[in-house]
């Protein structure tokens, strides 16, 4: 499998921009609400910690068969970053699988930003050599379940670390 690179993706209101280390300072503010960690654990990163994390992420996966794709979500009308979407593409016996995730900062939640970004990501992945899109969602996280549904994923019976595995097959 060849490495896939993140590309800018635009929607009606959003620009999904490939992640840069320079996004760390603004993103530290966007992701600063401890409530964002209710379902994923941990605490908000400082700008310095986020910068280090982004340096590791943007360097790419140490496994050449795995692609790490990360975007920041820019709300075009407000010219500000509001969250992130990501996809990790890995080989599998049935073809490449993309595991996706999203997070939107608390001040921008409830405005359809996560849904619009996840739908755009799923559409973009549909044009890549990807067979399946997967998301892992905490059973109590109803907002993320709604986002996954809007992006065309459906829940499975599979659990991973206590989370429900959601799945979308891409027809070729």
């Amino acid at each position: 499998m060849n490495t896939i690179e993140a590309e800018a993706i635009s929607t009606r209101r959003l620009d999904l921009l490939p992640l840069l280390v320079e996004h760390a300072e603004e993103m530290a503010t966007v992701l600063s609400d401890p409530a964002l960690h209710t379902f994923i654990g941990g605490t908000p990163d400082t700008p310095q910690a986020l910068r280090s994390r982004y340096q590791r992420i943007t360097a790419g996966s140490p496994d050449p068969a795995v692609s790490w794709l990360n975007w920041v979500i820019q709300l075009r009308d407000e010219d500000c970053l509001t969250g992130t979407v990501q996809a990790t593409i890995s080989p599998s016996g049935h073809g490449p699988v993309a595991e996706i995730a999203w997070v939107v900062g608390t001040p921008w939640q409830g405005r359809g930003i996560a849904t619009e970004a996840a739908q755009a990501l799923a559409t973009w992945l549909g044009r890549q050599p990807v067979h399946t899109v997967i998301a892992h969602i905490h059973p109590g996280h109803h907002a993320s379940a709604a986002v996954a549904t809007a992006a065309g994923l459906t829940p499975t019976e599979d659990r991973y670390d206590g989370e429900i595995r959601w799945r979308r097959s891409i027809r070729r």
Side-chain angles (χ1 to χ4, degrees):
M1 182 175 97
N2 293 332
T3 301
I4 298 171
E5 299 286 330
E7 302 170 345
I9 303 168
S10 291
T11 70
R12 184 175 60 80
R13 299 180 299 157
L14 309 174
D15 289 316
L16 307 184
L17 306 172
L19 179 71
L20 300 172
V21 173
E22 292 77 21
H23 291 131
E25 183 118 3
E26 186 174 354
M27 287 306 301
T29 301
V30 169
L31 303 174
S32 64
D33 185 353
L36 290 174
H37 297 267
T38 300
F39 294 108
I40 60 172
T43 58
D45 284 326
T46 65
Q48 298 78 13
L50 204 53
R51 178 175 285 280
S52 294
R53 184 166 157 229
Y54 285 2
Q55 286 172 334
R56 288 188 306 276
I57 291 170
T58 58
S61 170
D63 182 344
V66 175
S67 296
W68 289 349
L69 302 127
N70 294 271
W71 293 263
V72 290
I73 303 168
Q74 182 180 48
L75 184 57
R76 203 176 301 115
D77 287 350
E78 296 180 24
D79 192 29
C80 64
L81 301 182
T82 62
T84 63
V85 291
Q86 63 187 53
T88 299
I89 302 175
S90 306
S92 80
H94 301 290
V97 173
E99 293 195 37
I100 65 171
W102 52 85
V103 63
V104 170
T106 304
W108 299 276
Q109 291 179 1
R111 295 168 60 180
I113 292 170
T115 297
E116 191 172 330
Q119 287 173 326
L121 177 57
T123 299
W124 184 84
L125 287 166
R127 295 190 300 268
Q128 307 307 313
V130 171
H131 178 272
T132 304
V133 177
I134 293 172
H136 297 99
I137 300 173
H138 188 282
H141 201 316
H142 304 295
S144 277
V147 170
T149 299
L153 285 81
T154 56
T156 69
E157 296 296 321
D158 299 332
R159 300 290 185 268
Y160 182 82
D161 283 344
E163 295 182 321
I164 298 169
R165 179 172 287 180
W166 289 65
R167 186 176 192 276
R168 174 183 174 177
S169 293
I170 298 177
R171 307 275 183 238
R172 298 272 175 227

